[in-house]
C-alpha cells in the first residue's frame, strides 16, 4: 500500500538536489521547511528511504501519527533492515492506539540497532503496559545504560518499582527524574504515586499540585490526586477532580471507573451506573498479563461494581497467567464470543450475597454465556450469607458454629429483652469489624437497633474463644481447590481481632508465633481441627474462599466468617515473613485455574 499522495511543489527537483536540500534543512533544524519540502515532493520522498523515513518522523513531530505510518512502511519497502524506520513505525502505531502491533517493531529495531536507547525505552514501556514487568525492567535498564539521563526511562522504571512495592528504589528513580526534568508533570505524578502508596497523603497531594501547576489539566495528576483526597476523606473534592479528568478523556477506562466508584460512594448511583456501563461497553476494563510473558492460562474475571466482590488485584499481580476483568451489569450488552474467545476459564468475583443478591442471577447468565469452566459459579454463592453458613455448618464435628440469624432493626428492638446475652450485632454486608459490637444489656441492644434505623442486621451468639494466656487469636485460612493454606494469625487483647489493629508490630513474640503458625500449622490445629476445616471446605463447595476462625480451649474450630470476599495481599510492611505464604496461595490459585480449564498442573 502506497502512502496517500500529498500536494506537489510548483518546481520539481532532481533526486540528488532534493536529498541535498533535505540534508541542509535537517542540519539547520528547520523542521517546518523540511516538512514542506517532503510534502511538496511526495514522489521523490517515496524514492529514497531516508526521505520517506524523515517525512514519517516529521509527521510524528506534528502529531499526525496516522499519516506518518505509511511513510515508515515506504522506507522499509526500500530498505528492509532500516532500524530507525522500524522504531518510527512503532511510535506511529502507539500514536494510533495499535500498541500490540507496535511491540514487534521495537523488537526489530533493537535487534538491528542495539545502541538505540529510544527503542529500548519504547520496548520496555510497551512490555510494562502488558504486565511483563521483568522483561520491561531489563529493556529499560538497557535504555538507561545507553543514556543514563533518559528521564522517561527513569519514570517508567520508577512506576514498575512502585507497582512492585520497591518503594525505596522507586523514590530514588523519581528523585533523579525530577532532577533531570523538574518541569515535567509526569515526574511529580510518579513521586505523588509513591507517596500515596506509602500512606503519605499530604506529600502525595503536594506533588500532584506541583504537577498541576506545570500542566493545569494533566489527566493523571487529576485522577491520582482525586484518589488521595478520597483516602483523606475529602469526597466532594475528589469527585470534582475525577469529573474534570473524565471531561478531558470521556472514554478513558481509568477515569470512568474512578468517577463511577466515587459517584456510587457519594450517593449518585445513576451517574455511577452510566460510568460503569460506558466502561462495560468497551469490553474488558483491565488487562493483566503474565509476568513471564508466557501465560500458563487465560482467565476472564467478572466484577460487579454495585456488589461485594472477591479482592482480586493481589491474585493477578505478578502472576504467571493472563486475566481480563469485565464489568458485569445486568443491563449491559456484551460481545461474549469476542470477549471470551481467548479465555480458558471464567472467574466469578461476585461473592457477598448481602450486597449481590440482586445481580447474581444476571452474573450467572453472563458467566455461562462464555461456554468456559467457571470458578466460584454464581449459583454456589447463594447460601453463603452469614445466617445460611451458620445453618450449614452447625453440626460439623470438632467445630463451634455460633448461631446467626438475620434480623431487621425494628424486630430487634422488640426482641431485645428476650435475648440470651451477650450477643454480637453487625450490619449486613459489612466486613472488617465495621459497625459490629458485642452487647451485654438489653438497653445496649435497643440503642444499636435505634441507630441502625431500617438496616438489616446479623445477630450472632457470642462464643468466648480466649486462649489460656488471655489473648484472643484469629486464624485465617484460604481454601484453594482441595488445598487449605494458612494466611495469617492475628493476636489481640480483646474479642474483636483485626491484624492491622493489634500490637503485633510492637511485640516480637506475637510475630514469632504467627510465623511459627504459618510454617507449622499442625502445631496449632490438631488432626481433628484440620478434618473440621476440610469438612467445611466440602460443605461450602466453592473453588476459592477463606475462613476466619479461632480455637477454643478444647482445640475446637470456632467459626467467625466463611466466604469468598476475604483479602489476600503482599503489602505486609513489618510482616514480610508472610509473603512466601501469600505467594503459595497465589501459585495454588494459578494451579486451580489450570485444573478448572482442563490443563495439566
Amino acid at each position: 500500500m502506497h502512502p496517500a499522495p500529498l500536494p506537489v511543489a510548483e518546481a520539481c527537483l532532481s533526486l540528488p538536489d532534493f536529498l541535498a536540500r533535505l540534508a541542509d534543512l535537517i542540519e539547520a533544524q528547520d523542521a517546518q521547511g523540511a516538512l514542506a519540502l517532503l510534502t511538496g515532493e511526495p514522489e521523490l520522498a517515496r524514492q529514497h528511504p531516508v526521505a520517506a523515513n524523515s517525512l514519517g518522523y516529521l509527521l510524528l513531530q506534528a502529531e499526525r501519527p496516522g499519516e506518518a505510518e505509511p511513510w515508515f512502511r515506504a522506507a522499509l519497502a526500500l530498505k528492509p533492515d532500516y532500524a530507525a524506520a522500524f522504531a518510527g513505525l512503532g511510535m506511529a502505531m502507539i500514536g494510533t492506539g495499535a500498541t500490540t502491533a507496535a511491540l514487534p517493531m521495537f523488537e526489530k529495531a533493537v535487534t538491528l540497532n542495539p545502541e538505540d536507547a529510544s527503542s529500548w525505552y519504547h520496548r520496555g514501556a510497551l512490555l510494562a503496559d502488558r504486565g511483563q514487568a521483568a522483561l520491561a525492567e531489563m529493556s529499560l535498564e538497557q535504555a538507561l545504560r545507553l543514556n543514563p539521563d533518559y528521564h522517561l526511562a527513569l519514570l517508567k522504571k520508577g512506576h514498575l518499582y512502585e507497582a512492585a512495592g520497591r518503594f525505596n528504589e522507586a523514590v530514588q528513580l523519581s528523585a533523579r527524574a525530577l532532577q533531570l526534568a523538574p518541569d515535567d508533570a509526569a515526574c511529580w505524578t510518579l513521586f505523588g504515586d509513591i507517596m500515596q502508596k506509602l500512606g503519605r497523603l499530604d506529600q502525595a497531594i503536594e506533588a500532584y499540585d506541583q504537577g498541576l501547576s506545570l500542566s493545569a489539566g494533566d489527566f493523571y495528576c487529576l485522577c491520582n490526586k482525586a484518589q488521595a483526597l478520597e483516602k483523606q476523606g475529602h469526597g466532594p473534592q475528589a469527585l470534582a477532580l475525577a469529573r474534570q479528568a473524565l471531561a478531558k478523556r470521556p472514554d478513558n477506562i481509568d477515569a470512568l471507573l474512578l468517577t463511577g466508584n466515587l459517584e456510587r460512594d457519594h450517593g449518585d448511583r445513576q451517574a455511577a451506573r452510566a460510568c460503569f456501563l460506558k466502561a462495560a461497553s468497551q469490553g474488558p476494563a483491565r488487562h493483566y498479563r503474565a509476568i513471564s510473558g508466557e501465560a500458563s492460562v487465560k482467565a476472564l474475571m467478572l466484577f460487579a461494581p454495585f456488589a461485594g466482590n472477591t479482592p482480586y488485584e493481589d491474585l493477578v499481580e505478578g502472576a504467571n497467567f493472563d486475566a481480563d476483568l469485565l464489568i458485569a451489569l445486568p443491563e449491559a450488552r456484551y460481545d461474549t464470543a469476542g470477549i471470551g474467545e481467548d479465555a480458558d476459564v471464567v472467574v466469578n468475583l461476585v461473592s457477598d450475597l448481602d450486597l449481590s443478591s440482586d445481580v447474581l442471577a444476571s452474573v450467572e447468565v453472563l458467566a455461562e454465556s462464555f461456554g468456559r469452566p467457571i470458578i466460584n459459579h454464581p449459583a454456589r454463592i447463594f447460601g453463603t450469607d452469614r445466617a445460611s453458613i451458620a445453618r450449614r455448618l452447625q453440626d460439623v464435628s470438632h467445630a463451634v458454629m455460633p448461631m446467626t440469624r438475620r434480623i431487621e432493626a425494628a424486630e430487634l428492638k422488640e426482641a431485645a429483652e428476650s435475648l440470651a446475652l451477650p450477643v454480637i450485632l453487625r450490619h449486613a454486608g459489612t466486613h472488617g469489624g465495621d459497625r459490629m459490637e458485642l452487647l451485654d444489656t438489653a438497653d445496649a441492644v435497643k440503642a444499636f437497633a435505634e441507630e441502625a434505623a431500617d438496616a438489616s442486621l446479623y445477630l450472632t451468639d457470642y462464643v468466648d474463644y480466649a486462649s489460656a494466656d488471655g489473648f484472643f487469636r484469629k486464624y485465617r485460612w484460604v481454601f484453594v481447590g482441595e488445598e487449605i493454606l494458612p494466611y495469617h494469625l492475628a493476636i489481640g487483647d480483646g474479642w474483636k481481632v483485626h491484624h492491622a489493629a493489634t500490637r503485633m508490630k510492637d511485640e516480637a513474640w506475637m510475630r514469632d508465633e504467627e510465623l511459627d503458625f504459618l510454617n507449622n500449622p499442625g502445631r496449632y490445629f490438631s488432626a481433628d481441627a484440620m478434618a473440621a476445616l476440610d469438612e467445611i471446605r466440602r460443605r461450602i463447595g466453592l473453588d476459592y474462599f477463606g475462613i476466619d476462625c479461632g480455637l477454643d480451649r478444647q482445640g475446637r474450630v470456632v467459626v467467625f466468617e466463611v466466604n469468598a470476599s476475604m483479602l489476600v495481599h503482599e503489602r505486609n510492611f513489618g510482616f514480610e515473613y508472610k509473603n512466601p505464604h501469600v505467594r503459595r496461595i497465589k501459585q495454588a490459585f494459578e494451579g486451580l485455574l489450570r485444573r478448572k480449564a482442563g490443563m495439566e498442573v
Side-chain angles (χ1 to χ4, degrees):
M1 177 180 174
H2 290 297
L6 295 166
V8 180
E10 293 182 4
C12 293
L13 298 169
S14 67
L15 182 58
D17 289 342
F18 172 77
L19 293 174
R21 186 174 296 183
L22 176 61
D24 289 341
L25 290 167
I26 291 174
E27 186 177 355
Q29 298 183 346
D30 184 355
Q32 288 187 340
L35 183 59
L37 173 68
L38 290 164
T39 55
E41 297 283 1
E43 292 306 321
L44 289 174
R46 195 174 288 118
Q47 291 179 35
H48 198 282
V50 171
N53 186 65
S54 297
L55 179 51
Y57 274 101
L58 288 166
L59 288 167
L60 277 183
Q61 189 176 329
E63 298 184 359
R64 296 155 63 182
E67 298 173 64
E69 184 173 331
W71 288 102
F72 291 119
R73 294 189 186 280
L76 289 167
L78 295 165
K79 186 179 179 182
D81 61 349
Y82 201 169
F86 276 111
L89 182 55
M91 285 187 273
M93 288 174 168
I94 291 172
T96 60
T99 55
T100 300
L103 182 57
M105 301 303 107
F106 293 110
E107 300 278 10
K108 189 70 173 177
V110 298
T111 300
L112 292 167
N113 182 12
E115 299 302 305
D116 179 16
S118 175
S119 291
W120 283 110
Y121 160 71
H122 283 99
R123 177 181 181 269
L126 288 169
L127 288 167
D129 292 343
R130 288 162 61 99
Q132 296 173 236
L135 292 173
E137 183 179 349
M138 287 189 290
S139 195
L140 294 169
E141 285 176 350
Q142 183 68 1
L144 289 166
R145 183 189 68 78
L146 295 166
N147 180 3
D149 293 339
Y150 201 157
H151 93 274
L152 292 177
L154 289 165
L155 278 178
K156 201 67 180 182
K157 189 177 177 184
H159 279 296
L160 280 179
Y161 284 2
E162 175 248 332
R166 297 166 64 177
F167 298 121
N168 289 336
E169 295 160 286
V171 167
Q172 292 173 10
L173 291 165
S174 173
R176 177 65 177 149
L178 279 168
Q179 182 183 31
L180 292 167
D183 294 333
D184 186 348
C187 296
W188 291 102
T189 302
L190 171 59
F191 184 74
D193 292 348
I194 299 166
M195 292 300 104
Q196 185 165 180
K197 282 280 187 74
L198 291 171
R200 301 174 188 172
L201 297 179
D202 287 338
Q203 289 175 269
I205 290 170
E206 287 176 9
Y208 298 136
D209 284 340
Q210 185 66 37
L212 290 168
S213 73
L214 297 166
S215 177
D218 185 88
F219 175 77
Y220 293 104
C221 276
L222 289 170
C223 286
N224 298 358
K225 183 181 176 184
Q227 293 173 339
L229 286 169
E230 174 69 5
K231 290 175 183 176
Q232 281 193 327
H234 302 304
Q237 298 97 310
L239 181 54
L241 287 180
R243 287 171 175 167
Q244 273 185 255
L246 185 60
K248 289 188 168 297
R249 300 190 186 181
D251 295 321
N252 182 271
I253 288 287
D254 292 325
L256 285 167
L257 296 182
L258 172 63
T259 309
N261 285 327
L262 289 169
E263 295 282 16
R264 178 198 61 201
D265 294 346
H266 292 88
D268 194 338
R269 291 177 66 87
Q270 184 175 353
R273 189 169 292 276
C275 289
F276 293 132
L277 271 172
K278 193 169 184 179
S281 71
Q282 299 181 39
R286 290 280 184 268
H287 304 277
Y288 302 93
R289 293 297 171 254
I291 191 168
S292 67
E294 296 293 332
S296 65
V297 63
K298 297 180 180 180
L300 177 64
M301 297 184 159
L302 307 184
F303 181 96
F306 294 99
N309 297 272
T310 302
Y312 70 90
E313 292 91 340
D314 290 276
L315 290 174
V316 300
E317 185 176 300
N320 202 36
F321 60 87
D322 285 353
D324 287 346
L325 184 78
L326 186 67
I327 302 298
L329 290 170
E331 60 269 52
R333 296 294 175 264
Y334 304 94
D335 172 17
T336 53
I339 293 171
E341 182 179 8
D342 294 330
D344 299 308
V345 62
V346 172
V347 181
N348 165 49
L349 297 173
V350 184
S351 57
D352 187 331
L353 187 60
D354 290 319
L355 300 173
S356 312
S357 59
D358 59 337
V359 301
L360 264 177
S362 65
V363 173
E364 181 175 356
V365 172
L366 178 61
E368 292 184 341
S369 71
F370 296 105
R372 300 290 189 272
I374 302 170
I375 299 285
N376 280 3
H377 196 290
R380 293 188 177 183
I381 300 299
F382 290 105
T384 59
D385 60 283
R386 292 177 187 273
S388 297
I389 291 290
R391 291 192 296 272
R392 293 169 68 183
L393 303 183
Q394 196 60 225
D395 61 344
V396 172
S397 177
H398 212 73
V400 179
M401 179 70 250
M403 197 60 213
T404 298
R405 66 182 172 117
R406 186 162 175 151
I407 188 170
E408 301 305 311
E411 181 187 355
L412 178 62
K413 279 195 285 188
E414 294 180 5
E417 297 289 348
S418 61
L419 294 176
L421 302 172
V423 294
I424 297 172
L425 281 167
R426 73 160 75 225
H427 286 243
T430 60
H431 298 274
D434 294 336
R435 292 188 288 179
M436 177 178 77
E437 299 295 340
L438 175 63
L439 305 174
D440 57 6
T441 69
D443 286 343
V445 171
K446 290 177 184 177
F448 191 97
E450 185 70 32
E451 187 177 349
D454 58 352
S456 293
L457 308 170
Y458 279 116
L459 174 67
T460 303
D461 293 342
Y462 174 68
V463 174
D464 184 2
Y465 68 101
S467 303
D469 61 2
F471 288 96
F472 294 79
R473 290 167 169 80
K474 185 180 77 172
Y475 302 86
R476 176 169 294 183
W477 297 82
V478 178
F479 300 82
V480 190
E482 295 185 357
E483 295 185 78
I484 306 173
L485 303 173
Y487 172 67
H488 76 201
L489 162 61
I491 305 174
D493 301 294
W495 71 275
K496 189 194 290 190
V497 181
H498 296 284
H499 203 284
T502 65
R503 295 188 287 113
M504 293 182 67
K505 275 194 174 181
D506 303 318
E507 297 289 349
W509 72 266
M510 292 182 176
R511 298 192 300 276
D512 290 344
E513 183 175 333
E514 180 179 32
L515 177 59
D516 190 49
F517 162 68
L518 293 171
N519 289 333
N520 306 286
R523 291 181 184 172
Y524 299 80
F525 280 65
S526 66
D528 286 340
M530 292 304 300
L533 290 177
D534 193 54
E535 176 65 11
I536 290 169
R537 178 195 63 78
R538 188 187 65 79
R539 292 194 187 189
I540 298 303
L542 291 172
D543 302 291
Y544 176 86
F545 66 104
I547 183 172
D548 281 344
C549 60
L551 292 171
D552 68 10
R553 297 194 185 187
Q554 287 75 50
R556 296 176 300 177
V557 177
V558 181
V559 180
F560 305 145
E561 185 173 0
V562 179
N563 57 49
S565 301
M566 294 188 185
L567 178 64
V568 171
H569 67 85
E570 288 188 82
R571 298 178 302 282
N572 297 303
F573 308 118
F575 302 89
E576 286 79 8
Y577 56 80
K578 293 174 58 176
N579 290 340
H581 300 276
V582 177
R583 288 191 284 273
R584 183 181 172 196
I585 292 169
K586 293 173 66 170
Q587 289 165 2
F589 184 76
E590 180 185 341
L592 169 65
L593 295 178
R594 290 175 57 80
R595 284 192 300 275
K596 200 74 170 183
M599 301 176 177
E600 292 185 9
V601 179

